[in-house]
Amino acid sequence: MRRLNRLVMGAIALVVGVLLTQTIAVSSGYLRAIAPLAQAQGNAPPPELAPALPMVSGSFSDPQGRFQIGILEGFTVSSAAGSPLFQSTDGSLAYTVAVAPLPTADTPNAALMQAAQSTFGNGEGFVAGDVQPIPGGGVRINWAGRLSQGATPPQPITGKIFARQRGTEVFLLLVAATQAAEAQLSDAITALGSTLTVP
């Protein structure tokens, strides 16, 4: 009797499982199982990927021998305020390395933040954002500002700074992007940060 009860219970469980996965319809007096109609699922379109960041195609050595950094393919190299300036041909992405004296502060990370602020704080609308420690020492600083070029109205720019201490100096890798290249910022700072070497 127990065995029969178990078989009946198993059969009921099987029938319930089938009923839950199929639609049963009665049509013209006949019982007919109809598989659920396939419905097009509204999958979200894949996220738009950032344009590929150009590969590092060379290396720039500071004339004073303080550092080396990779040059992204197709970028021009010039100088601004005594620091190298690397810029994409369309001007949507640029980076520089500045060296500043280590300021006195309560903590090492506060000193790095203060060095970045004193070096870049006079830029057009420069506003420092959140600060995060980076592996191997130093901090990453998100920032925003404005870019003025000629007679065109200023446009918003965003960027990231890697700040690291070496002895009594702070090495500041700043990457800036207009809205057109904003999606490349994280890749750029990571790729360039790995090429920045200080003897």
Side-chain angles (χ1 to χ4, degrees), residues 60 69-71 75-78 84-88 93-97:
F60 172 85
I69 188 155
I71 302 172
F75 276 52
T76 60
V77 181
S78 60
L85 176 63
F86 308 88
Q87 191 171 9
S88 64
L93 189 65
Y95 62 100
T96 188
V97 177

Side-chain angles (χ1 to χ4, degrees), residues 48-123:
E48 188 172 319
L49 299 176
L53 186 68
M55 300 295 293
V56 174
S57 65
S59 182
F60 172 85
S61 295
D62 175 58
Q64 297 174 17
R66 300 174 296 177
F67 63 87
Q68 288 185 330
I69 188 155
I71 302 172
L72 294 177
E73 188 175 327
F75 276 52
T76 60
V77 181
S78 60
S79 180
S83 296
L85 176 63
F86 308 88
Q87 191 171 9
S88 64
T89 54
D90 67 356
S92 64
L93 189 65
Y95 62 100
T96 188
V97 177
V99 181
L102 179 68
T104 303
D106 293 338
T107 66
N109 286 353
L112 297 175
M113 180 64 183
Q114 189 176 346
Q117 186 69 41
S118 65
T119 302
F120 302 115
N122 292 330

Side-chain angles (χ1 to χ4, degrees), residues 3-61:
R3 189 171 189 189
L4 182 60
N5 283 342
R6 286 185 190 166
L7 286 174
V8 170
M9 294 301 282
I12 291 172
L14 179 62
V15 169
V16 169
V18 169
L19 289 176
L20 290 176
T21 59
Q22 294 183 349
T23 303
I24 305 294
V26 176
S27 173
S28 303
Y30 295 102
L31 187 63
R32 154 182 103 161
I34 302 173
L37 297 176
Q39 295 179 354
Q41 292 184 357
N43 291 340
E48 188 172 319
L49 299 176
L53 186 68
M55 300 295 293
V56 174
S57 65
S59 182
F60 172 85
S61 295

Side-chain angles (χ1 to χ4, degrees), residues 119-145:
T119 302
F120 302 115
N122 292 330
E124 294 182 76
F126 178 88
V127 177
D130 66 312
V131 179
Q132 299 172 349
I134 54 176
V139 294
R140 186 192 76 204
I141 305 162
N142 292 323
W143 63 273

